[in-house]
Amino acid sequence: MTRAKRYQSPELEVQLLREGIIESVHIGHAVVCDSRGRILSVAGDGDAATFIRSSLKPFQALAVAAAGTLERYELDDRDLAIMCASHQGRIEQVRQAFHILWKAELEPNQLQCPVPAGKQSSLEHNCSGKHAGMLALCQQRNWPLASYLQRNHPLQQFILNTVAELLSMPADEFIGAHDDCGAPTYLMPLRQMAILFAKLASGDNLEMERIVRAMTHHPEMVAGPGAFDTELMRLTEGELVSKSGAEGIQCIGRVGQGMGLAIKVRDGSKRAKHAVAVHLLKQLGWVSPDTAEQLAESFMMLSPYKRLDVQGDLDLM
């Protein structure tokens, strides 16, 4: 019996330096793929399996876009951007999520994402836009509203089939689990996340092209001021589409080039995944030197006394 080829090279090491002395170390994996599914370069284990978490949101929104829900309820690109968001609960973001519900004749109490600690409404949860989009699709299709988060619900099956089709995989081969907001997320090799973002950024599909436009034209909706996704898309002005996921996941697509980068930091560190992303974007030439410097200043220089440094590079396959 032959074993399937694994795509591996030396891992990335993220060092926290306090006045030049190593204080902490994080280990990361990264892989770059094209929209045809080919692995172009890798650092660490490109086949490392992990949950895609909130980096799935553009593809959950893709189901909404593909179903004609946007046209049915006259939703615009700002609505689509908030569906893809892990937002900060700012008033303009909360209002945008509410706008989706209002247009689809739904109520905020139908959202099943949790009410954040110290807040008053599920609309303030970072996933409220995603949930609002899901409910709007259910409303359009006359699917049950109360059970929309169950894995066997027609909505969740529609989303899963959308992702499965993009990856040319049978839907029943995916391993699912509930994300913290209650919606399903899926376990997959890191390279499949990179393939998804390569396809998202390829420009070969009208609905995905609209999602990219919504995210890159309204980056303030996708995360918020000072957040990595928002700042990267703002600085690159439509050249990169970016969506973070919890537990050390970061996915980025190079718009119009059909290439995707997926990152996983083994211990789930948020600061380390940002450092890896800046380091690799610079290596890949996906950002200008000035943009790389601005990103490093924001996400690698943590204080006057400590900074992050990344050791290792992507190896061509």
Side-chain angles (χ1 to χ4, degrees), residues 17 20 27 45 49 57 59 65-66 69 82 87-88 90 92 101 104-105 107 158 181 188 228 247 265 278 283 307:
L17 303 177
I27 300 299
D45 187 355
K57 285 178 177 174
F59 306 96
T69 309
I82 203 70
H87 64 74
Q88 297 171 339
R90 298 168 65 88
E92 64 271 20
L101 298 176
E105 299 184 353
E107 298 295 332
F158 187 55
C181 70
M188 61 181 71
F228 184 82
E247 296 301 322
V265 173
V278 174
Q283 181 195 347
R307 64 181 176 87

Side-chain angles (χ1 to χ4, degrees), residues 35-47:
S35 59
R36 294 173 59 185
R38 297 175 296 189
I39 292 182
L40 304 180
S41 54
V42 65
D45 187 355
D47 281 313

Side-chain angles (χ1 to χ4, degrees), residues 19 24 30 38 66 80 85 96 126 147 152-153 161 169 182 193 200 223 227 238 243 256 258 282 284 298 303:
E19 297 187 359
S24 299
R38 297 175 296 189
L80 188 53
Q96 203 67 47
N126 75 88
S147 57
N152 61 354
H153 190 282
N161 286 328
M169 280 182 60
M193 300 181 203
L200 178 66
K243 185 67 197 75
K282 184 177 179 180
L284 289 164
S298 297
S303 80

Side-chain angles (χ1 to χ4, degrees), residues 186-206:
Y186 295 98
L187 186 78
M188 61 181 71
L190 200 60
R191 58 181 168 80
Q192 289 188 339
M193 300 181 203
I195 292 167
L196 286 175
F197 274 76
K199 289 179 178 289
L200 178 66
S202 69
D204 293 337
N205 173 284
L206 288 176

Side-chain angles (χ1 to χ4, degrees), residues 88-262:
Q88 297 171 339
R90 298 168 65 88
I91 187 64
E92 64 271 20
Q93 295 168 326
V94 171
R95 285 175 176 167
Q96 203 67 47
F98 175 77
H99 181 258
I100 297 168
L101 298 176
W102 179 69
K103 294 288 282 186
E105 299 184 353
L106 295 159
E107 298 295 332
N109 61 13
Q110 292 174 288
L111 294 170
Q112 293 184 23
C113 49
V115 178
K119 304 295 184 179
Q120 298 180 341
S121 170
S122 293
L123 283 166
E124 297 172 276
H125 190 277
N126 75 88
C127 298
S128 63
K130 174 182 77 176
H131 284 250
M134 289 178 173
L135 282 169
L137 174 50
C138 291
Q139 184 85 315
Q140 178 203 4
R141 292 290 181 96
N142 294 314
W143 290 336
L145 298 175
S147 57
Y148 76 94
L149 293 183
Q150 293 181 10
R151 288 188 220 171
N152 61 354
H153 190 282
L155 165 73
Q156 300 303 338
Q157 291 299 303
F158 187 55
I159 291 170
L160 177 57
N161 286 328
T162 299
V163 175
E165 183 177 349
L166 287 172
L167 293 172
S168 302
M169 280 182 60
D172 59 8
E173 289 189 9
F174 284 86
I175 297 173
H178 286 103
D179 211 325
D180 292 349
C181 70
T185 189
Y186 295 98
L187 186 78
M188 61 181 71
L190 200 60
R191 58 181 168 80
Q192 289 188 339
M193 300 181 203
I195 292 167
L196 286 175
F197 274 76
K199 289 179 178 289
L200 178 66
S202 69
D204 293 337
N205 173 284
L206 288 176
E207 286 85 13
M208 287 195 285
E209 189 174 18
R210 183 174 180 185
I211 288 169
V212 169
R213 183 175 70 244
M215 293 176 69
T216 56
H217 285 197
H218 303 286
E220 74 285 353
M221 286 289 144
V222 177
F228 184 82
D229 290 332
T230 293
E231 297 307 318
L232 177 61
M233 290 190 287
R234 181 182 64 81
L235 288 168
T236 55
E237 299 180 327
E239 294 183 1
L240 298 178
V241 60
S242 179
K243 185 67 197 75
S244 65
E247 296 301 322
I249 293 292
Q250 185 68 50
C251 295
I252 300 166
R254 192 175 189 192
V255 178
Q257 301 295 316
M259 290 188 285
L261 166 66

